[in-house]
Amino acid sequence: MRYLKEVLASRELLANLTLREIRGQYKRTIFGQLWSLVNPLASMLVYTLVFAFILRVEPEAGDPSGLDIFAVWLLCGLLPFAFFSNVVQQGMGSILGNVGLVQKVYFARIVLPLSKVGSVGYNWLFEMGVLVVVLVIFGAFVWPWLPLVVVTMVLLAIFAAGIALMLAVANVHFRDTQYFVSIIMQIWMYLTPIIYPISLVAVQSDKYGGLFGTSVTILDVYRINPLERFVAVFRQLLYDNRWPDPQDFLLCAIWALAAFTVGLWIFRRSEKGLAEAL
């Protein structure tokens, strides 16, 4: 309870750090906030060219929306993962990036990684806004589902924040963490059905049957990945325009709360020694 009061007392600092990140990110650039759209759009173009036109990957049409556009389907999965990846990697380096502040002033250190959640989330709102406009142009009826999209965004932010808190501590003690995590993120993306449909995994799962003579299949192991559930919910809401699968939505909430609880516990136990470790 006392720790919560300390965090609340630092809310003005959190707001100022978040605003500093937002204002400084594209300072003295000509296109400003538009640069936040370049990376996801460039990735979309490359993946669409390779997977849709060369490898001929065909995701299922939106049900009941009827959408059958690979680039739009891709963005519905790419943007959530990009948000998660950015929050984790920027939050992981937030303590090391503010060494002078941590060593000179006492405050709730948790505001440093949380400020990254706010700044990345600010950019992500623009990206999601563009995606919603594109969906509407192509005939999707997304408006009734936007409140649930916001709820899912919050759950994803909580999940990403929990992972970032753990890694921020690890990165202070083991500087190799940042390089290791960047590799893990690349692997994690390809282990999540973002640029290919999960139906391809299901086909391979049926082909090989149970693992080691058990009833557990490749698909069962594959779906342990929490990002698979988040991507599924986003696509169900934005691309399919329907209620998300209750199990997927429930697991998103469980993963979010579990990751943040563990991350907060680890960060609290390590917070007092961060200045000395730096």
Side-chain angles (χ1 to χ4, degrees):
M1 196 67 181
R2 191 180 73 178
Y3 186 74
L4 180 60
K5 290 180 179 179
E6 289 181 9
V7 175
L8 290 175
S10 302
R11 61 185 180 277
E12 186 175 345
L13 177 60
L14 173 60
N16 289 332
L17 288 172
T18 303
L19 288 173
R20 186 191 69 176
E21 294 291 335
I22 293 172
R23 291 168 179 167
Q25 190 169 13
Y26 301 107
K27 188 177 181 181
R28 295 185 179 179
T29 60
I30 296 175
F31 296 105
Q33 195 64 44
L34 291 176
W35 282 113
S36 66
L37 303 174
V38 171
N39 190 50
L41 290 177
S43 299
M44 181 200 71
L45 290 174
V46 172
Y47 290 137
T48 299
L49 175 64
V50 174
F51 287 88
F53 293 101
I54 299 177
L55 298 180
R56 298 291 182 180
V57 174
E58 296 183 2
E60 296 179 0
D63 181 20
S65 69
L67 287 177
D68 192 13
I69 305 169
F70 183 88
V72 177
W73 175 85
L74 176 63
L75 270 181
C76 290
L78 190 61
L79 291 186
F81 187 88
F83 170 79
F84 169 77
S85 178
N86 288 333
V87 167
V88 169
Q89 295 193 72
Q90 292 186 32
M92 175 181 59
S94 59
I95 304 297
L96 287 179
N98 292 275
V99 174
L101 189 61
V102 172
Q103 292 180 331
K104 293 178 181 178
V105 183
Y106 176 77
F107 60 96
R109 314 296 201 235
I110 195 173
V111 301
L112 294 173
L114 291 184
S115 68
K116 299 295 184 180
V117 179
S119 61
V120 174
Y122 177 81
N123 291 331
W124 195 43
L125 288 175
F126 284 90
E127 298 167 6
M128 291 298 291
V130 171
L131 175 59
V132 168
V133 171
V134 170
L135 286 165
V136 171
I137 290 173
F138 283 105
F141 190 54
V142 298
W143 305 116
W145 309 107
L146 290 183
L148 272 177
V149 170
V150 173
V151 173
T152 310
M153 289 171 68
V154 171
L155 290 177
L156 180 57
I158 293 172
F159 175 69
I163 302 296
L165 289 174
M166 299 181 219
L167 293 176
V169 172
N171 198 37
V172 169
H173 297 282
F174 308 100
R175 305 298 168 88
D176 293 332
T177 302
Q178 55 190 322
Y179 306 108
F180 179 71
V181 170
S182 65
I183 297 173
I184 291 297
M185 284 298 168
Q186 295 179 45
I187 299 172
W188 200 340
M189 178 178 171
Y190 285 98
L191 290 177
T192 305
I194 296 172
I195 53 182
Y196 57 86
I198 195 173
S199 58
L200 293 181
V201 181
V203 169
Q204 295 300 316
S205 180
D206 293 338
K207 179 180 178 181
Y208 291 102
L211 297 174
F212 308 111
T214 67
S215 60
V216 178
T217 65
I218 294 174
L219 184 61
D220 294 329
V221 175
Y222 182 87
R223 298 209 75 193
I224 295 175
N225 176 5
L227 267 299
E228 188 276 327
R229 303 288 180 167
F230 279 103
V231 168
V233 171
F234 272 102
R235 282 196 172 129
Q236 288 161 15
L237 292 170
L238 293 170
Y239 194 76
D240 295 334
N241 300 157
R242 62 181 174 87
W243 285 100
D245 185 300
Q247 185 182 39
D248 288 341
F249 195 79
L250 178 61
L251 284 172
C252 286
I254 292 172
W255 275 113
L257 293 176
F260 191 78
T261 300
V262 174
L264 182 61
W265 180 77
I266 291 174
F267 197 88
R268 282 190 62 186
R269 286 180 58 89
S270 309
E271 186 173 15
K272 292 181 179 179
L274 290 177
E276 291 78 5
L278 290 170

